[in-house]
Amino acid sequence: MLTIKSSLTIIFDPPFYKAIFERRYASVYEVGQVTLGTSEPKLTYIYTLVTNHWSRVAFFRQNDSDTLVLEKRISHKRLQRLARKSVKKGVGTKAQLALQKQIEIRKIKEKQIKQANREEKEVITFEMRQAKKKQKHKGH
């Protein structure tokens, strides 16, 4: 039997509120993030985000076969205590680490693209200068 588990966590990462979506199925762990804005998000906005704008969420996939652990049911009061403790301590969850990894991968790709564009532009300007030099030496 295939079990799919998803969760939504809303955190305040100054100055923005962010929604972190996590989902697990089989041995795959995926995490996605959406920036909600600077003011505290209303419940209706979160519902519309989940129901109507699900395509805005870009998930980052990570294999989770080695750390798949069965979780037992935790009471709501204990969950509140754990949430309060994690907010005090600072959030360094698995989801945030995966999102940070995704951001770093995106930065590396953008840097490579910028470097390739810069090199291409330098080649074009060099060829233009060479053509201008040849034009000067033609004696026109």
Side-chain angles (χ1 to χ4, degrees), residues 6 10 14 20 31 59 61 74 94-95 118 134 137-138:
S6 2
I10 297 178
I20 298 177
V31 63
F59 282 97
R61 179 172 289 188
I74 301 174
K94 185 174 183 179
R118 189 179 331 113
K134 286 183 182 179
H137 287 290
K138 282 188 177 180

Side-chain angles (χ1 to χ4, degrees), residues 40-96:
E40 188 173 346
K42 304 285 185 215
L43 199 55
T44 55
Y45 178 71
I46 295 168
Y47 284 146
T48 57
L49 175 69
V50 172
T51 56
N52 300 336
H53 302 288
W54 187 253
S55 60
R56 283 179 46 194
V57 181
F59 282 97
F60 178 66
R61 179 172 289 188
Q62 187 176 17
N63 285 340
D64 195 29
S65 59
D66 55 342
T67 60
L68 186 63
V69 177
L70 295 176
E71 296 179 15
K72 59 182 186 175
R73 183 117 169 103
I74 301 174
S75 72
H76 67 280
K77 287 192 175 185
R78 177 160 296 284
L79 279 175
Q80 287 176 347
R81 271 188 247 125
L82 291 173
R84 211 176 308 121
K85 188 185 289 186
S86 71
V87 167
K88 276 185 182 176
K89 186 175 76 172
V91 182
T93 62
K94 185 174 183 179
Q96 291 221 325

Side-chain angles (χ1 to χ4, degrees), residues 31-33 57-61 95-109:
V31 63
Q33 172 181 314
V57 181
F59 282 97
F60 178 66
R61 179 172 289 188
Q96 291 221 325
L97 296 175
L99 287 170
Q100 189 63 34
K101 187 176 180 182
Q102 178 187 15
I103 290 169
E104 300 217 357
I105 290 171
R106 191 182 312 144
K107 280 183 184 179
I108 291 170
K109 286 181 182 177

